[in-house]
Amino acid sequence: MRAPKTFRLHIGIFGRRNAGKSSILNALTQQEVSIVSEVAGTTTDPVEKPMELLPLGPVLFIDTAGIDDVGDLGEKRVAKTLAVFDRTDLGLIVTNFQDFGEYEQKLMDELKDRDIPFIIVFNKCDLHAENLSLTADFDSVKVNYVQTSVATGAGMSDLRQKLLRSAPDDYINRPSILGDLVGPGEAAVLVVPIDKEAPKGRLILPQVQSIRDLLDNDCFSVVVKERELREALSRFNKPPKLVVTDSQAFLKVAADTPPEIPLTSFSILFARFQGDLTEMVRGAMAIDQLKAGDKVLIAEACSHHPIGEDIGTVKIPRWLTQYVGGKLQIDNMRGHDFPKNVSEYKLIIHCGACMWNRREMLSRIMKARQAGVPITNYGLTIAYSLGIFERALQPFPAALELYKSKSC
Amino acid sequence: MRAPKTFRLHIGIFGRRNAGKSSILNALTQQEVSIVSEVAGTTTDPVEKPMELLPLGPVLFIDTAGIDDVGDLGEKRVAKTLAVFDRTDLGLIVTNFQDFGEYEQKLMDELKDRDIPFIIVFNKCDLHAENLSLTADFDSVKVNYVQTSVATGAGMSDLRQKLLRSAPDDYINRPSILGDLVGPGEAAVLVVPIDKEAPKGRLILPQVQSIRDLLDNDCFSVVVKERELREALSRFNKPPKLVVTDSQAFLKVAADTPPEIPLTSFSILFARFQGDLTEMVRGAMAIDQLKAGDKVLIAEACSHHPIGEDIGTVKIPRWLTQYVGGKLQIDNMRGHDFPKNVSEYKLIIHCGACMWNRREMLSRIMKARQAGVPITNYGLTIAYSLGIFERALQPFPAALELYKSKSC
């Protein structure tokens, strides 16, 4: 009975190999790190540990390998640890007064550069006396720090308080997925096609999150397949405020939804919820500038193996090629891997990233923007390719305005 | 993106410690058993491995510890392995022509006694010649067997075919949760209270399964909190065929649902879907026979720690005590542990078992019936205690009939 990863505050734990990262984690979670995690820690992957952390709620601790001794660890491991910065909402730098130095300073710089709040944990304070000039410096520039001792338990509740205070606002006041577009006491219709590939007895995550978001906002939802949509709509004596469809049924749903009812897709809702809708609308419009030979990056958050007519590797490449009227150079990437420099691409097309926290998606959008490369997502690309972009943007006035101003 | 456990065919793998159980499992799944599983294998717990197994679909392999060398393994481990029989839909006995003997015969007897279909896998057939008199015997009594060699790959596709043919019918043609009560093109209203304990961004499993079941049956669902139910019902120009509520909101939902619309609870739907509704209605009516001092067993499938006003440990015991007007002896049990002999109890009250396969629940009902002990579930107990038992059974004519015939 767990919260999905996307809602968890991602807390990255950084520090040298012997800094005591694991004992701080154990003390916070008040249980032993399991054998499974210890084994995983010896691989190249950072260890992820979901937790209900009082008083913060659902968090995901990411315990990284120390990146101080590069020789030992290999480049791959260092790269994996660096990639953790991209999904960290809040950083913990574990050190002590004796060892604090250039290495910790570099970690602080990495986190500051990315605008990620962090807390320095001076552990083993029962063994090392406080460095008064250092803490005075920190106080003067408002760097958050705590002094702890796992051995005596000192400072642990101070650390919890600081974690709560340092948690980013958008973790605590996260925008809603669609409840704000519907309003209390009103209904949204969610169109959920069931294809052969859908696992039995399940709904996919964005659908569940949307139903729950509507409940959280005192709305209600009607969940229906595309085939029964017309029948379901005929049952209302007052039309629903919004129809949301899976992108793959866009055309049929557009045909069956009266034009006065706003229509969009789950994927477009997630462009707003997980990323930046305006930026991604601009990205979709850049499809018009593509020409044969251009490089396009198609990136997917999930690392599962594609099944059948996969959207990212088959459908979108096929349609882009037809649209451009010539061969494109398309790279597909999965999971947390993402190029350091994306400037060689003319366009980046991303999945909805429903499994991630928002920070990782925003961090990719930032990388694209810095390199001057337009970025969009699957749902917007599909809506654009089907010629129903304007209708799909109707619920979002600012994005619609942008589209209209540029397209005429 | 996985199917919930309840829909997976549970395949128990039995055999001596060195019989090659793991290599058969690896060959079927065509991937290495992960380090994590190897570690778990050294504990007392059987290793569970969810898989998409062609052509069967979602299965759960349960790799058991060999129970031949009791001294080594300890009683606890043997008990855990024996408990696997209770949740096995289909058994694999891994052996070879040289070692086949009394031990394998005992496994066959255990499975036969429980009416569990099984397949004998004679592995290492590249090393040991076929025992012709044995296979002739098996052929004559229609015992399923295959000859395999993991080393050469021989017999593996034969094994897959036999797995498909041996899968119980109710795995392939599973009854629906509520779609049959609603009908194509029609609607059910699902009332989902959101309390403080509900994890963010989620719905609980029975709710997701019910929404999906309605889609699979060409129905649609209206998902609403109890507070907005009245408003939602007023929006439709034709009443829904069914209202389903979480048991904790039963009274408010009963008050807000017009009497002509059938009403029940998720828990009662699951008494039918996962178990045997008639048997459990009979069980609920046995509450009237309870008297002070009687022993009652309250069993829960999930082994999670109870939060707050837990139904099984707080709410139901409190209400039963009030109803009986004296102290009862209540035992609470969680997870796969269940007493061998339940005859000391006057009543068993079980959770909805939404996380399990049906076989384990049916196996408990069978145990209760053999011992002559009535068994019911949480939702039926709550409906009974609230005095709305008759209304909650309205969608189920046979169960309602039973109740009416006994209660007057």
Side-chain angles (χ1 to χ4, degrees), chain A residues 200-202, chain B residues 3-10 58-59 171 174 177 209 273 356-357:
Chain A
K200 279 188 200 178
R202 289 190 75 261
Chain B
K5 224 159 151 183
T6 176
F7 287 101
R8 295 185 176 276
L9 182 76
H10 287 35
V59 304
Y171 170 73
R174 177 136 189 171
I177 300 172
Q209 291 179 211
F273 181 60
W356 282 357
N357 63 351

Side-chain angles (χ1 to χ4, degrees), chain B residues 109-138:
Chain B
D109 291 341
E110 281 282 357
L111 291 162
K112 271 185 205 156
D113 279 352
R114 292 154 197 263
D115 264 340
I116 302 171
F118 62 90
I119 302 165
I120 299 169
V121 181
F122 290 108
N123 194 20
K124 305 180 187 169
C125 68
D126 52 329
L127 302 179
H128 307 298
E130 182 175 357
N131 179 335
L132 288 170
S133 80
L134 184 64
T135 53
D137 275 352
F138 281 175

Side-chain angles (χ1 to χ4, degrees), chain A residues 64-366:
Chain A
T64 66
I67 52 171
D68 45 330
D69 43 355
V70 180
D72 253 331
L73 295 168
E75 271 180 43
K76 208 171 162 191
R77 193 168 181 187
V78 172
K80 295 259 183 190
T81 294
L82 285 172
V84 171
F85 285 112
D86 287 343
R87 58 181 188 277
T88 292
D89 294 314
L90 176 57
L92 283 188
I93 299 174
V94 180
T95 180
N96 59 62
F97 282 116
Q98 186 174 291
D99 295 337
F100 185 88
E102 208 177 314
Y103 177 73
E104 285 71 22
Q105 198 63 56
K106 251 174 57 189
L107 289 174
M108 288 169 64
D109 292 343
E110 282 282 358
L111 291 162
K112 271 187 203 155
D113 280 351
R114 291 155 198 263
D115 266 341
I116 301 171
F118 62 88
I119 302 165
I120 299 168
V121 181
F122 290 107
N123 195 20
K124 305 179 188 169
C125 69
D126 52 329
L127 301 179
H128 305 298
E130 183 175 356
N131 178 336
L132 288 170
S133 78
L134 184 64
T135 52
D137 277 354
F138 282 172
D139 285 335
S140 71
V141 294
K142 300 209 162 73
V143 163
N144 264 318
Y145 67 90
V146 289
Q147 302 187 34
T148 61
S149 161
V150 172
T152 68
M156 293 310 297
S157 70
D158 190 19
L159 174 55
R160 272 173 207 275
Q161 285 295 344
K162 285 240 164 61
L163 282 168
L164 178 62
R165 279 210 296 272
S166 310
D169 286 345
D170 68 351
Y171 170 73
I172 318 260
N173 304 310
R174 178 137 189 171
S176 65
I177 300 172
L178 74 169
D180 58 324
L181 304 171
V182 176
E186 297 293 340
V189 174
L190 308 180
V191 184
V192 173
I194 301 295
D195 57 26
K196 284 166 298 176
E197 287 153 19
K200 279 188 200 178
R202 289 190 75 261
L203 298 173
I204 61 174
L205 192 58
Q207 296 158 358
V208 173
Q209 291 179 213
S210 298
I211 295 168
R212 174 62 190 265
D213 184 67
L214 289 165
L215 294 171
D216 286 337
N217 285 278
D218 304 331
C219 317
F220 63 98
S221 53
V222 172
V223 187
V224 63
K225 291 208 300 287
E226 72 280 22
R227 242 175 43 199
E228 285 78 40
L229 171 63
R230 204 186 274 264
E231 175 66 27
L233 286 173
S234 77
R235 298 294 180 85
F236 282 93
N237 51 33
K238 184 184 164 189
K241 290 287 179 190
L242 184 67
V243 172
V244 182
T245 181
D246 186 289
S247 295
Q248 59 177 300
F250 233 142
L251 280 186
K252 168 147 181 59
V253 171
D256 287 352
T257 303
E260 63 275 15
I261 303 178
L263 164 69
T264 194
S265 71
F266 289 105
S267 187
I268 293 174
L269 290 176
F270 273 77
R272 184 179 75 132
F273 180 61
Q274 288 287 56
D276 180 327
L277 181 61
T278 314
E279 191 76 32
M280 290 202 157
V281 165
R282 199 176 282 125
M285 293 165 66
I287 292 172
D288 283 334
Q289 267 75 59
L290 286 182
K291 51 188 194 307
D294 281 351
K295 289 195 80 168
V296 174
L297 174 62
I298 301 183
E300 194 148 324
C302 292
S303 51
H304 67 76
H305 199 70
I307 328 170
E309 285 273 272
D310 186 62
I311 297 184
T313 56
V314 181
K315 288 185 182 165
I316 290 181
R318 185 196 296 149
W319 173 75
L320 281 181
T321 308
Q322 284 169 358
Y323 192 87
V324 171
K327 230 178 138 51
L328 295 161
Q329 294 185 58
I330 292 175
D331 290 345
N332 283 94
M333 288 208 156
R334 290 179 178 281
H336 294 301
D337 293 330
F338 199 69
K340 249 208 180 106
N341 187 345
V342 292
S343 57
E344 59 176 317
Y345 295 104
K346 291 288 183 248
L347 178 64
I348 300 169
I349 304 179
H350 211 287
C351 77
C354 64
M355 303 292 291
W356 282 356
N357 64 351
R358 193 177 190 199
R359 185 172 292 274
E360 186 155 7
M361 196 59 229
L362 290 176
S363 141
R364 290 191 170 184
I365 293 176
M366 206 174 69

Side-chain angles (χ1 to χ4, degrees), chain A residues 2 4 7 39 185-186 194 199-202 212 215 218 220-223 225 227-228 234-237, chain B residues 2 4 7 185-186 194 199-202 212 215 218 220-223 225 227-228 234-237:
Chain A
R2 284 177 166 173
F7 288 102
V39 171
E186 297 293 340
I194 301 295
K200 279 188 200 178
R202 289 190 75 261
R212 174 62 190 265
L215 294 171
D218 304 331
F220 63 98
S221 53
V222 172
V223 187
K225 291 208 300 287
R227 242 175 43 199
E228 285 78 40
S234 77
R235 298 294 180 85
F236 282 93
N237 51 33
Chain B
R2 283 176 168 174
F7 287 101
E186 297 294 340
I194 301 294
K200 280 188 197 177
R202 289 191 75 261
R212 174 61 189 266
L215 293 171
D218 305 330
F220 61 99
S221 52
V222 177
V223 187
K225 290 207 301 287
R227 243 176 40 200
E228 285 79 37
S234 78
R235 294 299 179 84
F236 291 91
N237 52 33

Side-chain angles (χ1 to χ4, degrees), chain B residues 44 66-67 69-80:
Chain B
T44 59
I67 51 171
D69 42 356
V70 180
D72 251 331
L73 295 168
E75 270 180 43
K76 207 170 165 192
R77 193 168 184 187
V78 172
K80 296 259 183 190

Side-chain angles (χ1 to χ4, degrees), chain A residues 377-394:
Chain A
N377 83 357
Y378 286 9
L380 286 162
T381 304
I382 293 169
Y384 200 83
S385 81
L386 295 173
I388 51 173
F389 203 59
E390 188 170 336
R391 183 161 191 200
L393 290 182
Q394 227 171 322

Side-chain angles (χ1 to χ4, degrees), chain A residues 15-36:
Chain A
R16 305 184 197 207
R17 285 190 101 179
N18 56 354
K21 301 190 292 294
S22 301
S23 35
I24 285 287
L25 179 51
N26 287 347
L28 272 176
T29 60
Q30 283 155 346
Q31 62 176 57
E32 293 297 305
V33 169
S34 68
I35 293 172
V36 173

